[in-house]
Amino acid sequence: MNKPERHIAPSIDPVKLDRLAEVAIKVGLQLAPGQDLLITAPVAALPLVRRIVEHAYKAGAGLVTPFFSDEEITLSRYRAAPDASFDRAAGWLYEGMAKAFSANTARLAIVGDNPMLLSGEDAAKVARANKANSMAYQPALEKIVNFDVNWNIVAWPGTAWAKLMFPDDGEERAVAKLADAIFAASRVDGTDPIANWTAHNAALRQRTDWLNGQRFHALHFSGPGTDLTVGLADGHEWVGGASTSKNGIVCNPNIPTEEVFTTPHAQRVEGHVRSTKPLSYQGTLIDNIAVRFEQGRIVEATASRGADVLNKVLDTDEGARRLGEVALVPHSSPISKSGLLFYNTLFDENAACHIALGQCYSKCFVDGGKLTPEQVAAQGGNKSFIHIDWMIGSGETDIDGLRSDGSRVPVFRKGEWA
Ligand code: ZN
Ligand code: ZN
């Protein structure tokens, strides 16, 4: 760095921040020369956005367009807007995004807001606003979940988020700790992050190759409070790490990422399961989730905290009660070993095995890019306006792979690959 870093909090290492920006463009997106880029970010993340934009143009970006949000502006809607506001969403904006993705614009999202931002607001208004937003976002979201274009999410150490994770520290110290945790989890704290990511992607590829060779019919999870059989969709494919988008670009959608995941069969999930970490869902903490599945559908759901929000989420649509993802993460993953609860799915889902309610990824099918939505559904893929991951793995999780002939293969023992 040869310029004074006037806009960066003194507690955030500018060299590592720049590496994160470089990794977002070169590993996360692998932005192609001439390709346009759409960025969404909290306004507080401006120092990271500026670095990302610089790396994007150096990589040959056509046009970079950032959109900013702000915690205070989000809150003022809940405090002052008329009731009818909560059924509104910026459909015009999402239609524009969908148009941009159709024209091969890459997508980068920066997260960093206070995960508890809306926890003090009216739960019914939060649910209405979320639903209106999810419905309006659907045309753009479909292009992302179907990997029409290369996309990526990275994190910025927001102050309120840092204080939530490190309540006993002053603001500056808390931000420094969160920044370090983000840099470590995102594998940008070494001297050659690009090479680190190449090695990491190769290791994840070994796991997905093995699982794809096994062609399991179902996985059986057992652990405290959990006895769950998750049928796998017909023609499912395990993916993890780098993914090839339909535009031919290999991207790493999530930074960090430790998971390998596939599509469960929406009609073939049986038994009960308990969450092993709290779920932070759009400003509400939902803890100790316990649900029971019959023929793929959640027929009973409880939580020690946030149960009302959970049950509203489950009523979003028919697919909200069924699974769209099952993911395997060893208990010894770096994020799990950090012992930190991030209250953010991008990080916490990489600390434990998890399942997701709602929409499946068509990518997680053999030749998924060529399947129509009707074919995805016929093979057992779920459809919903939501996609919410929650953690079910721990150091006590055992997983068996079940073959169609009834034989079992150990996959995980005590939270680790068997
Ligand atoms: Zn996942
Ligand atoms: Zn997910």
PDB file of all heavy atoms in Angstrom, residues 325 349 356 361 387 389, ligand 2:
ATOM      1  N   GLU A 325     -31.512 -28.824   0.302  1.00  0.00           N
ATOM      2  CA  GLU A 325     -30.049 -29.019   0.325  1.00  0.00           C
ATOM      3  C   GLU A 325     -29.680 -29.880   1.529  1.00  0.00           C
ATOM      4  O   GLU A 325     -30.294 -29.774   2.585  1.00  0.00           O
ATOM      5  CB  GLU A 325     -29.348 -27.661   0.462  1.00  0.00           C
ATOM      6  CG  GLU A 325     -27.826 -27.756   0.546  1.00  0.00           C
ATOM      7  CD  GLU A 325     -27.154 -26.434   0.954  1.00  0.00           C
ATOM      8  OE1 GLU A 325     -27.784 -25.371   0.801  1.00  0.00           O
ATOM      9  OE2 GLU A 325     -26.023 -26.474   1.445  1.00  0.00           O
ATOM     10  N   GLU A 349     -22.569 -22.061   8.386  1.00  0.00           N
ATOM     11  CA  GLU A 349     -22.885 -23.291   7.642  1.00  0.00           C
ATOM     12  C   GLU A 349     -21.596 -24.064   7.314  1.00  0.00           C
ATOM     13  O   GLU A 349     -21.643 -25.215   6.943  1.00  0.00           O
ATOM     14  CB  GLU A 349     -23.679 -23.002   6.372  1.00  0.00           C
ATOM     15  CG  GLU A 349     -22.861 -22.463   5.228  1.00  0.00           C
ATOM     16  CD  GLU A 349     -23.577 -22.551   3.880  1.00  0.00           C
ATOM     17  OE1 GLU A 349     -24.500 -23.352   3.740  1.00  0.00           O
ATOM     18  OE2 GLU A 349     -23.185 -21.808   2.975  1.00  0.00           O
ATOM     19  N   ALA A 356     -31.007 -27.521   4.346  1.00  0.00           N
ATOM     20  CA  ALA A 356     -31.671 -26.249   4.050  1.00  0.00           C
ATOM     21  C   ALA A 356     -33.116 -26.495   3.681  1.00  0.00           C
ATOM     22  O   ALA A 356     -33.441 -27.403   2.913  1.00  0.00           O
ATOM     23  CB  ALA A 356     -30.968 -25.523   2.910  1.00  0.00           C
ATOM     24  N   TYR A 361     -30.871 -26.476  -5.512  1.00  0.00           N
ATOM     25  CA  TYR A 361     -29.984 -25.991  -6.571  1.00  0.00           C
ATOM     26  C   TYR A 361     -30.017 -26.981  -7.731  1.00  0.00           C
ATOM     27  O   TYR A 361     -29.626 -28.141  -7.546  1.00  0.00           O
ATOM     28  CB  TYR A 361     -28.545 -25.882  -6.040  1.00  0.00           C
ATOM     29  CG  TYR A 361     -28.321 -24.772  -5.056  1.00  0.00           C
ATOM     30  CD1 TYR A 361     -28.300 -25.006  -3.692  1.00  0.00           C
ATOM     31  CD2 TYR A 361     -28.110 -23.468  -5.508  1.00  0.00           C
ATOM     32  CE1 TYR A 361     -28.090 -23.967  -2.777  1.00  0.00           C
ATOM     33  CE2 TYR A 361     -27.900 -22.428  -4.614  1.00  0.00           C
ATOM     34  CZ  TYR A 361     -27.888 -22.684  -3.259  1.00  0.00           C
ATOM     35  OH  TYR A 361     -27.681 -21.658  -2.383  1.00  0.00           O
ATOM     36  N   HIS A 387     -34.730 -20.269   0.927  1.00  0.00           N
ATOM     37  CA  HIS A 387     -33.644 -21.263   1.049  1.00  0.00           C
ATOM     38  C   HIS A 387     -32.924 -20.909   2.345  1.00  0.00           C
ATOM     39  O   HIS A 387     -32.230 -19.902   2.413  1.00  0.00           O
ATOM     40  CB  HIS A 387     -32.684 -21.210  -0.146  1.00  0.00           C
ATOM     41  CG  HIS A 387     -31.532 -22.161  -0.007  1.00  0.00           C
ATOM     42  ND1 HIS A 387     -31.489 -23.393  -0.619  1.00  0.00           N
ATOM     43  CD2 HIS A 387     -30.393 -22.072   0.727  1.00  0.00           C
ATOM     44  CE1 HIS A 387     -30.363 -24.019  -0.283  1.00  0.00           C
ATOM     45  NE2 HIS A 387     -29.677 -23.235   0.532  1.00  0.00           N
ATOM     46  N   ASP A 389     -30.480 -22.375   5.427  1.00  0.00           N
ATOM     47  CA  ASP A 389     -29.614 -23.438   5.954  1.00  0.00           C
ATOM     48  C   ASP A 389     -29.629 -23.421   7.475  1.00  0.00           C
ATOM     49  O   ASP A 389     -29.568 -22.357   8.064  1.00  0.00           O
ATOM     50  CB  ASP A 389     -28.159 -23.178   5.523  1.00  0.00           C
ATOM     51  CG  ASP A 389     -27.989 -23.131   4.021  1.00  0.00           C
ATOM     52  OD1 ASP A 389     -28.158 -22.035   3.453  1.00  0.00           O
ATOM     53  OD2 ASP A 389     -27.700 -24.175   3.435  1.00  0.00           O
TER      54      ASP A 389
HETATM   55 ZN    ZN B   2     -27.694 -23.508   1.430  1.00  0.00          ZN
END
